[in-house]
Amino acid sequence: MIRLLLAEDHHLVRGAFAALLGTEPGIEVVAETGRGDEAVRLAVELRPDVAMLDIDMPGLDGLAAAERIAETVPSCRVVIVTGYGRPGYLRRAMAAGVRGFVGKDNPAATLAQVIRQIHGGGRYIDPELAADALSMRECPLTPRELDTLRAAASGAPVSRIARELRLSEGTVRNYLSSAVTKLAVENRHTAVRRARDMGWL
């Protein structure tokens, strides 16, 4: 029996996944949540075989949750379920040790097959999502510029970002200015939005 943890912030979608996958032979849904941080807590507590995570969730996004699950429960295989084939998402997922990357629009039987394949040690990357990811442009930002934009996403002032990243305020301003220039946007808030839309954050 494959013990499955479901994390999806849309209640109806999560309920549909649980109902459909719960009828599949050999799969038992052991927990459900709508938050990424709660998914990590449940993974540590319940030690599921597979965690199926949405990307966009409160608390922690699915990719950050996948990274933490890989660190704290390495035996748990992670499948990301998404509607986005953004290159940054796919790369971050692979770097986090995610074993599966599948579209939400797949039928339950396909999701169940992916879960079985991942549980058996395989990998699965949805061909359409992979093609979408490969057709989009590469991230022009450096890792430090991305860190600075991530820290700026909450609207924090430069002084707080500098403290959080242990950088000088001038260095933070330089990274933010560079990101704004490279993304050809008006300000750091728009840069954050653009980087998120591209899946780089």
Side-chain angles (χ1 to χ4, degrees):
M1 186 65 79
I2 300 170
R3 301 174 71 250
L4 177 68
L5 164 64
L6 284 176
E8 160 65 58
D9 65 328
H10 292 99
H11 183 71
L12 289 174
V13 175
R14 185 172 69 246
F17 281 153
L20 293 169
L21 291 170
T23 64
E24 287 287 330
I27 296 176
E28 176 190 8
V29 178
V30 294
E32 301 174 39
T33 183
R35 296 181 56 89
D37 51 353
E38 182 72 3
V40 174
R41 186 190 70 73
L42 288 167
V44 169
E45 179 184 320
L46 301 173
R47 305 280 174 180
D49 300 307
V50 177
M52 194 169 98
L53 311 176
D54 182 24
I55 285 184
D56 295 317
M57 290 186 290
L60 275 179
D61 68 47
L63 297 172
E67 289 169 355
R68 294 210 186 152
I69 290 170
E71 291 166 8
T72 57
V73 191
S75 62
C76 179
R77 307 250 199 283
V78 176
V79 177
I80 294 289
V81 181
T82 183
Y84 309 110
R86 296 174 181 155
Y89 285 169
L90 185 54
R91 282 189 199 93
R92 275 185 65 202
M94 296 299 103
V98 167
R99 305 294 300 178
F101 198 81
V102 62
K104 282 186 182 181
D105 56 351
N106 280 289
T110 301
L111 293 175
Q113 183 54 41
V114 169
I115 290 165
R116 290 184 187 100
Q117 184 174 329
I118 300 313
H119 180 255
R123 279 192 187 272
Y124 180 85
I125 298 176
D126 187 297
E128 286 188 32
L129 293 177
D132 288 348
L134 291 172
S135 69
M136 295 179 103
R137 73 179 200 159
E138 293 281 326
C139 178
L141 305 176
T142 67
R144 275 316 229 168
E145 289 164 348
L146 287 168
D147 288 343
T148 307
L149 278 183
R150 249 181 234 107
S154 66
V158 168
S159 59
R160 188 179 323 150
I161 296 168
R163 278 193 308 276
E164 182 181 322
L165 299 178
R166 297 184 178 167
L167 299 171
S168 72
E169 291 184 22
T171 301
V172 168
R173 283 190 196 91
N174 287 342
Y175 284 141
L176 290 173
S177 175
S178 178
V180 165
T181 300
K182 287 179 180 179
L183 297 178
V185 294
E186 311 79 48
N187 57 49
R188 68 180 174 154
H189 306 292
T190 312
V192 167
R193 266 196 309 279
R194 172 76 51 84
R196 274 192 179 142
D197 287 347
M198 294 301 291
W200 299 328
L201 284 186

